[in-house]
């Protein structure tokens, strides 16, 4: 659309509206509008965007689990401590030995927990996942 057509439309609208009188809204108009706004706001709550997505968090957790399995499964600490370079000796002393001790302590303490606790945790996680799936299914209908 060019400017010339806009000017003609503007003049046409002004000609149509010159005879129309303004009306005052009712006393309850503002209350009704604010009620509608509040209902919309309550129906669609404001969501704060996460800094990291769910896929990123799952990737980070997966990487940590894989590193823990590698550190425990292959016993990297004994492999590195066998090397005679000073860098590897420091790496073993400052990093690998404390992590190995921490992970071994965690797994020993986890092995002492009764099996029923694991069953309950898995059941609750399954129910939460099922609830989320059902809620998403209901929202898309």
């Amino acid at each position: 659309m060019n400017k010339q057509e806009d000017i003609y439309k503007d003049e046409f609208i002004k000609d149509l509206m010159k005879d129309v009188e303004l009306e005052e809204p009712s006393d309850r108009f503002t209350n009704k509008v604010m009620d509608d706004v509040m209902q919309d706001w309550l129906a669609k709550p404001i969501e704060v965007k996460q800094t990291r997505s769910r896929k990123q968090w799952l990737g980070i957790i997966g990487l940590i689990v894989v590193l823990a399995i590698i550190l425990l499964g292959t016993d990297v600490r004994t492999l590195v401590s066998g090397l005679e370079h000073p860098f590897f000796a420091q790496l073993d002393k400052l990093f690998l030995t404390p992590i190995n001790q921490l992970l071994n302590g965690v797994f020993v303490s986890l092995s002492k927990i009764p099996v029923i606790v694991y069953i309950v945790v898995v059941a609750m996680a399954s129910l939460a996942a099922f609830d989320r799936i059902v809620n998403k299914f209901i929202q898309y209908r």
Side-chain angles (χ1 to χ4, degrees), residues 22-35:
L22 293 176
E23 295 181 15
E24 289 291 320
S26 68
D27 294 336
R28 292 192 27 122
F29 176 77
T30 305
N31 289 339
K32 290 169 82 175
V33 170
M34 291 307 294
D35 287 343

Side-chain angles (χ1 to χ4, degrees), residues 118-129:
Y118 294 114
I119 294 171
V120 169
V121 168
V122 169
M124 290 176 67
S126 300
L127 286 173

Side-chain angles (χ1 to χ4, degrees), residues 84-122:
E84 296 184 15
H85 194 276
F87 171 75
F88 293 117
Q90 282 296 102
L91 180 70
D92 180 42
K93 181 180 176 185
L94 296 176
F95 183 68
L96 295 177
T97 301
I99 287 179
N100 190 295
Q101 291 172 350
L102 176 73
L103 290 175
N104 282 332
V106 167
F107 283 111
V108 166
S109 64
L110 287 177
S111 67
K112 294 178 181 176
I113 296 176
V115 175
I116 191 69
V117 173
Y118 294 114
I119 294 171
V120 169
V121 168
V122 169

